[in-house]
Amino acid sequence: MTNLDIAKFGGTSVGNFEAMTSSYKVVVSNPNSRVVVISACSGVTNLLVELASGKCSNEKIDEIISKLRDIHEQIITHLENQHELRNFIEGHLKEIKDQTLVANDKGTNDQIADAIVSHGELMSSFLFVALFKHYGTDAQWFDVRTVMRTDSKFSCAKPNCDEIRVLTRDKLMPLISDKTIIITQGFIGSNTLGETTTLGRGGSDYSAALLGEALDVATISIWTDVPGVFTTDPRVVKNAKPIPELTYIEAAEMANFGAKVLHPSTMVPAVRRAIPIFVGSSKEPEKGGTWVRPSTQTAPNFRALALRKNQTLIVLSSPVMVGATGFLANVFSVFAKYNHSIDLVSTSEISIAVTIDGGTSTSGAQGLDPNMLKELEQFCHVKVEQGLPLIAIIGNNMSENNGVITKAFDCIQQFSVRMICYGASRHNLCFLLKDGDTSVALNELHKQLLED
Ligand code: ADP
Ligand code: ASP
Ligand code: MG
């Protein structure tokens, strides 16, 4: 099918019977929509992550299991074959409890955590199939782990795109037909040993893009709770407006710098095959949404704002850096060794300042490895500042038109700025703030840069 669309529905779009029904209507209204990727019901992954911490008391475990039961039960009560559906969910709840007790007894790790959190998507997708049948549409459940091959870096596994393509063409493509809709899971995958992995929090968008690439789809549709990508998070800035079209680069910058509406890796497979991505609201599809494409009609200096909280700033200084070579290489190799990805960088004669993000791993593992700091301290002085907010202005050619960048500086000067970065990309200007109310800063920047 040449116009094939892959549709992904996030947690709130499958969070209850009404939301699932709206999502169902979106799927059946597009005859090209034959493969559907879904997230766990809203709130479920957070509950599973809590269980996977290995720190819940027996009472807490039972309380969470009961909440998980309630979330799925209120969908089941609207459907047929309730006995079968209930048994299915109870089977998963039992496995979740058993795995949680193992995590408590033996100590948790990312592998057990991935096994526990994967139940969220496995349960929601099963109920979504039942909902299609309830409305008289044939649907087929597909275990994405048979095709979503990843490495074994549990909690933030890397997909193996070549293998995914071969497996998808072998096992998923033959199932696609006009008669049935395939419903599968986002977020989860498996390694070569068949062990369950996850792509990191919010990873279902990425799953849809990876499957879309493997299937050579014409479009990837990300259905969520907002009608498109906005000029900034509409929950924080009430005047934020939906953006009709964005380039892949702009969307990737926004996602990288914290716009949660798209997982940062989503654009990577789409770019490789130039597949347009649509972002819209499953509750209000009539409102339209955003198209993310290779190029757009306009390239405004200021397109959007993104916010990432809780950044860590590490300032490394050494008097011997003056005129020396190799200092930066040494610093970066230590960060690489401890798997800390550096975001912003700024250098002076004797020091370098870098920021790192807490990351998006499923287990939520955060923080700096103390061994890394010790290793850095062997050749420089190390100062760490935590909990800093980072605001990114996303746009185009900000420094190439006179007076444009000044507008941003004029506006930010009322806030305490700790670090500024511009230059590596023509698409972002980043301010690391000292502290303060980020919502005030975002609203002010939005008003000055994006509201006229
Ligand atoms: P889903 O569960 O459907 O994947 P997410 O919660 O991951 O949905 O992403 C949607 C949310 O992203 C919105 O509710 C909104 O609060 C937030 N968001 C952050 N920045 C933006 C932005 N620039 N445009 C739209 N939504 C944004
Ligand atoms: N359910 C997963 C999460 O909450 C993946 C996703 O929703 O994209 O992070
Ligand atoms: Mg999401």
Side-chain angles (χ1 to χ4, degrees):
M1 192 187 257
T2 46
N3 293 325
L4 194 63
D5 171 79
I6 189 154
K8 175 260 169 179
F9 293 87
T12 46
S13 301
V14 292
N16 54 44
F17 180 76
E18 290 70 32
M20 276 194 174
T21 297
S22 304
S23 300
Y24 163 79
K25 288 181 184 160
V26 168
V27 174
V28 293
S29 70
N30 179 357
N32 295 319
S33 195
R34 314 306 305 165
V35 182
V36 174
V37 173
I38 71 164
S39 297
C41 300
S42 180
V44 164
T45 307
N46 286 350
L47 292 171
L48 293 170
V49 167
E50 206 177 331
L51 289 177
S53 69
K55 291 184 190 140
C56 293
S57 63
N58 286 346
E59 294 72 46
K60 188 76 192 167
I61 295 175
D62 288 340
E63 184 194 317
I64 293 181
I65 297 276
S66 143
K67 280 189 191 165
L68 291 169
R69 179 176 293 113
D70 290 348
I71 292 172
H72 296 95
E73 180 59 30
Q74 49 86 17
I75 299 170
I76 293 176
T77 51
H78 296 273
L79 301 173
E80 292 73 30
N81 298 325
Q82 295 186 4
H83 184 65
E84 184 207 329
L85 299 177
R86 226 163 258 138
N87 278 348
F88 178 86
I89 297 297
E90 285 306 323
H92 277 280
L93 295 179
K94 180 170 181 323
E95 265 188 66
I96 293 168
K97 184 160 179 178
D98 292 347
Q99 288 163 332
T100 303
L101 293 175
V102 172
N104 275 12
D105 289 350
K106 299 201 175 147
T108 190
N109 59 48
D110 286 340
Q111 181 171 358
I112 300 178
D114 277 0
I116 294 174
V117 295
S118 68
H119 292 283
E121 270 68 12
L122 293 169
M123 292 189 284
S124 61
S125 53
F126 195 78
L127 296 189
F128 204 39
V129 170
L131 181 124
F132 271 62
K133 294 192 174 151
H134 168 76
Y135 286 116
T137 302
D138 196 31
Q140 192 176 343
W141 187 83
F142 182 80
D143 188 339
V144 82
R145 292 173 297 181
T146 56
V147 300
M148 186 56 68
R149 178 61 50 77
T150 71
D151 67 8
S152 297
K153 210 164 173 300
F154 297 100
S155 187
C156 51
K158 295 259 166 318
N160 180 329
C161 299
D162 293 337
E163 284 194 40
I164 291 170
R165 188 169 180 84
V166 172
L167 290 167
T168 300
R169 291 183 160 251
D170 192 28
K171 295 175 196 281
L172 178 58
M173 203 152 201
L175 304 178
I176 298 176
S177 81
D178 290 342
K179 296 187 186 65
T180 184
I181 288 172
I182 294 157
I183 293 173
T184 193
Q185 309 79 36
F187 181 52
I188 65 175
S190 76
N191 62 13
T192 44
L193 299 172
E195 294 159 335
T196 298
T197 57
T198 63
L199 302 178
R201 291 305 303 266
S204 298
D205 304 330
Y206 191 23
S207 305
L210 288 163
L211 292 177
E213 176 188 32
L215 291 169
D216 284 331
V217 297
T219 47
I220 299 166
S221 300
I222 305 290
W223 294 100
T224 180
D225 58 356
V226 281
V229 181
F230 280 56
T231 44
T232 193
D233 189 343
R235 287 192 207 182
V236 183
V237 177
K238 75 170 184 349
N239 288 340
K241 296 271 174 315
I243 307 170
E245 51 170 14
L246 277 174
T247 61
Y248 289 131
I249 294 177
E250 290 169 328
E253 294 277 5
M254 289 182 73
N256 268 322
F257 285 108
K260 196 181 161 226
V261 63
L262 284 171
H263 182 279
S265 302
T266 313
M267 270 57 71
V268 177
V271 167
R272 280 195 292 252
R273 292 195 186 256
I275 308 169
I277 303 173
F278 176 79
V279 182
S281 159
S282 59
K283 274 201 192 102
E284 302 174 299
E286 69 288 350
K287 285 201 169 164
T290 302
W291 278 103
V292 183
R293 300 192 165 107
S295 62
T296 54
Q297 304 232 321
T298 59
N301 292 132
F302 301 121
R303 179 73 95 179
L305 302 172
L307 168 69
R308 235 167 38 185
K309 290 186 175 164
N310 281 327
Q311 305 302 290
T312 301
L313 174 71
I314 306 158
V315 183
L316 307 151
S317 48
S318 162
V320 292
M321 189 177 160
V322 184
T325 54
F327 180 75
L328 294 185
N330 289 340
V331 167
F332 290 144
S333 66
V334 176
F335 276 84
K337 179 174 161 192
Y338 289 90
N339 221 355
H340 278 308
S341 154
I342 293 173
D343 287 324
L344 306 187
V345 183
S346 156
T347 60
S348 79
E349 193 60 31
I350 61 151
S351 61
I352 166 170
V354 302
T355 67
I356 61 168
D357 186 25
T360 53
S361 74
T362 301
S363 59
Q366 279 199 352
L368 282 170
D369 190 324
N371 291 327
M372 180 182 84
L373 296 180
K374 274 194 204 132
E375 204 164 321
L376 288 166
E377 274 160 2
Q378 283 169 16
F379 61 93
C380 59
H381 177 257
V382 181
K383 191 166 166 267
V384 176
E385 293 170 48
Q386 284 176 311
L388 305 177
L390 165 64
I391 292 185
I393 302 175
I394 317 297
N396 299 280
N397 309 321
M398 280 174 251
S399 67
E400 282 154 39
N401 297 330
N402 280 349
V404 169
I405 215 156
T406 335
K407 211 172 160 190
F409 285 116
D410 281 350
C411 179
I412 201 79
Q413 65 176 338
Q414 54 188 300
F415 305 99
S416 311
V417 177
R418 182 66 188 82
M419 180 168 161
I420 299 174
C421 269
Y422 181 79
S425 155
R426 289 190 297 180
H427 300 281
N428 73 60
L429 163 61
C430 293
F431 295 105
L432 188 70
L433 301 186
K434 272 191 188 147
D435 49 26
D437 191 339
T438 45
S439 126
V440 174
L442 261 194
N443 272 282
E444 189 57 27
L445 277 166
H446 193 271
K447 192 166 155 211
Q448 301 295 334
L449 307 181
L450 292 158
E451 281 178 39
D452 45 21

